[in-house]
Amino acid sequence: MSTFALPATLLRRAARSLSALAAVVASVLAFLALVVLTDGAGSGLAAWLPVLAVGTALALWRSRSRSRSRSRDRSRSRGRTRAARLVPFLPVVAAAALTAPVCVPTVPTARQYPPDLPFVATEHWSLDTGSSVAVYHYPPAGPGPRHPVPLVYLNGGPVRGISLLDHRFLQLLAGQGYDVYAYEQPGGGRSGLLPMDQYTADRSVRDLGAFVDRLGAGAVDVLGFSSGAVVLTRALADPGTAARVHRAVIAEPGPMDGPTARIAGHQGRESARGLAPDPTGPRSTHVPRYAVAFGLMRLGLLSLGTGLIGQAEGDNAFTAADLGGDTASAYCARDAHRIPAEDSARNFSFSPAASLRVQRTVRDSASITPQLGRSRTPAMLMIAECSSQVRQWATAVLAADPAIQRTQFMPGVGHHMWNGLDGNDDRAAAVIGAFLQGEPAPLPNSPTREGIPAFLRDHE
């Protein structure tokens, strides 16, 4: 062989390798594009099969072309010729192997509900709205007086199961004489699913009204936390639902409507996000199928009712570790290395698609400020010192709702104000109890409506 033949041979082989790699990349990109164009139809097979068919056809054409050119060179062995015919198919096989896992479920496709909790009975109520919700009741206990008005808890999420940490706080309230009820929103925890287009903020408000009616105890006190506080705020802007609320505690609310959601404002003191150790445990986003599905849904490239993964499968797949730094963002920076376990893997439940759907209906909604301005339901606002929420989400509620009687700025806590650390549960319960019983506030009334500009300046 000439001294120039070896480099030329290596260059040809390198060119073929690059060509094969380009074919694999092109096939994967074509697959993802078809997934988007078909909205993941047929669990992704509507994208995978055409890419496989086209790739196979091109490989056949290339194999035949090479066979014709090599038939002129009779010095090649028959074995090498047969092996060479298979070379054009290698990119097809590689691309098929890379994309096939996106089409194969790795968890059950029918909803797998968390097992019942050992310390509280799970009831299932059918509401007049058509929702089926899991209900938990903590009757009043302890040596103190019983409070006559039931207290209903709306947890955060949205469309997330009630965590064990929250259950412990509800038990604490019951131990102080409150008749506590909590229910998980449709799609969350042990509650039944809804068609994807029925997950809306307005549906959540109607469910609250229907739940109170089903309870049959007249007007109730309501404690809403995070996205649950958004539901409560929007309920206070709806006269029919507001009439069912005796007193309202709005704790760490998200944005109450579209204009509020578009505010890019200030957050509280530094949270533990980026400081706490990474969450441990399996992640669905480490599985190609769910990484692609959840990623494209968040980008808006797949519909929330995509055919790639069903709602139930997505709920089964999503884990607490998939929340990433969101959990750490609910705690102060000083708590970064002692964040409590909020939940167990068996109890954790979150519906990513339904949650995005509810958030989008809030973001796309019109202002509720005019309706909230007519509210007459006594209310209290709770704001955490290290809140990860935009401050204006809370102050917008304070400015709009004339029936907010007090604001309690909670020092030393993050977004999740009852967290089992340093007596925080007792302090939160004391603030809530004082308001519900019409007693003096344990903390200064701050910020006031007039003090909102100064409060926001202090958090720039």
Side-chain angles (χ1 to χ4, degrees):
M1 179 180 293
S2 111
T3 55
F4 297 102
L6 184 58
T9 301
L10 291 176
L11 286 174
R12 283 196 298 271
R13 289 178 178 173
R16 284 197 296 269
S17 297
L18 289 174
S19 176
L21 178 61
V24 172
V25 171
S27 297
V28 171
L29 293 177
F31 168 75
L32 293 175
L34 281 175
V35 166
V36 172
L37 290 173
T38 62
D39 196 27
S43 194
L45 289 175
W48 189 78
L49 290 174
V51 170
L52 180 63
V54 171
T56 302
L58 289 174
L60 282 170
W61 177 79
R62 292 182 64 193
S63 177
R64 289 171 181 169
S65 298
R66 289 187 177 187
S67 295
R68 286 194 294 269
S69 64
R70 283 172 177 156
S71 64
R72 303 187 189 98
D73 187 359
R74 301 181 183 277
S75 64
R76 296 181 185 271
S77 69
R78 185 178 299 272
R80 286 189 62 191
T81 301
R82 287 175 177 172
R85 288 174 181 172
L86 298 177
V87 171
F89 293 92
L90 293 180
V92 179
V93 173
L98 288 172
T99 54
V102 177
C103 306
V104 180
T106 61
V107 299
T109 56
R111 183 70 176 105
Q112 303 293 298
Y113 292 97
D116 286 350
L117 295 166
F119 51 81
V120 63
T122 303
E123 302 178 43
H124 294 276
W125 290 10
S126 295
L127 305 181
D128 288 344
T129 56
S131 297
S132 175
V133 296
V135 181
Y136 310 94
H137 181 209
Y138 292 101
R146 304 296 194 259
H147 304 296
V149 180
L151 174 61
V152 173
Y153 177 61
L154 300 176
N155 67 301
V159 198
R160 179 175 177 174
I162 299 175
S163 70
L164 296 180
L165 197 64
D166 280 4
H167 275 290
R168 287 196 287 271
F169 184 63
L170 300 182
Q171 289 174 316
L172 173 63
L173 293 174
Q176 297 180 356
Y178 293 96
D179 192 14
V180 180
Y181 288 84
Y183 68 92
E184 290 166 320
Q185 300 170 62
R190 297 161 186 83
S191 292
L193 307 182
L194 293 175
M196 188 56 64
D197 62 359
Q198 293 186 27
Y199 290 104
T200 67
D202 290 342
R203 173 62 172 265
S204 298
V205 171
R206 294 195 300 274
D207 281 343
L208 172 60
F211 180 84
V212 177
D213 288 345
R214 176 76 159 72
L215 190 59
V220 301
D221 294 330
V222 182
L223 166 60
F225 166 65
S226 193
S227 63
V230 174
V231 174
L232 178 54
T233 302
R234 294 178 71 89
L236 297 178
D238 178 75
T241 310
R244 299 172 170 92
V245 181
H246 176 252
R247 282 181 174 250
V249 178
I250 303 167
E252 279 286 286
M256 64 182 181
D257 54 24
T260 309
R262 290 188 282 275
I263 294 175
H266 315 296
Q267 295 184 346
R269 303 283 187 255
E270 185 181 12
S271 77
R273 190 184 190 103
L275 302 175
D278 291 335
T280 59
R283 297 191 183 197
S284 66
T285 47
H286 289 171
V287 179
R289 177 174 177 80
Y290 307 113
V292 169
F294 294 147
L296 293 179
M297 279 193 286
R298 286 192 66 85
L299 293 172
L301 298 176
L302 286 181
S303 75
L304 298 178
T306 176
L308 183 57
I309 61 169
Q311 178 189 168
E313 183 187 349
D315 294 2
N316 294 337
F318 202 88
T319 69
D322 285 318
L323 293 175
D326 284 356
T327 298
S329 71
Y331 293 83
C332 291
R334 60 178 168 272
D335 297 326
H337 295 283
R338 58 168 191 160
I339 293 175
E342 293 193 342
D343 216 345
S344 68
R346 285 170 60 81
N347 186 63
F348 177 81
S349 169
F350 183 78
S351 179
S355 181
L356 280 173
R357 166 75 180 165
V358 173
Q359 292 177 64
R360 288 178 185 177
T361 65
V362 172
R363 183 195 64 197
D364 296 339
S365 68
S367 171
I368 64 169
T369 296
Q371 296 90 337
L372 192 58
R374 294 189 287 271
S375 174
R376 296 297 178 265
T377 303
M380 177 179 71
L381 179 65
M382 297 175 69
I383 305 176
E385 179 183 10
C386 309
S387 176
S388 56
Q389 307 286 79
V390 173
R391 290 300 194 195
Q392 283 90 333
W393 292 350
T395 58
V397 178
L398 177 60
D401 186 351
I404 291 180
Q405 298 178 347
R406 66 177 69 166
T407 304
Q408 300 284 269
F409 181 77
M410 305 293 291
V413 294
H415 179 59
H416 208 150
M417 293 183 286
W418 40 87
N419 52 37
L421 299 175
D422 302 334
N424 291 331
D425 288 20
D426 291 328
R427 280 188 285 273
V431 165
I432 293 167
F435 173 71
L436 295 181
Q437 302 311 312
E439 298 171 353
L443 299 171
N445 183 34
S446 175
T448 62
R449 288 182 188 83
E450 297 74 17
I452 289 175
F455 177 74
L456 294 177
R457 283 197 303 271
D458 289 344
H459 294 87
E460 287 182 349

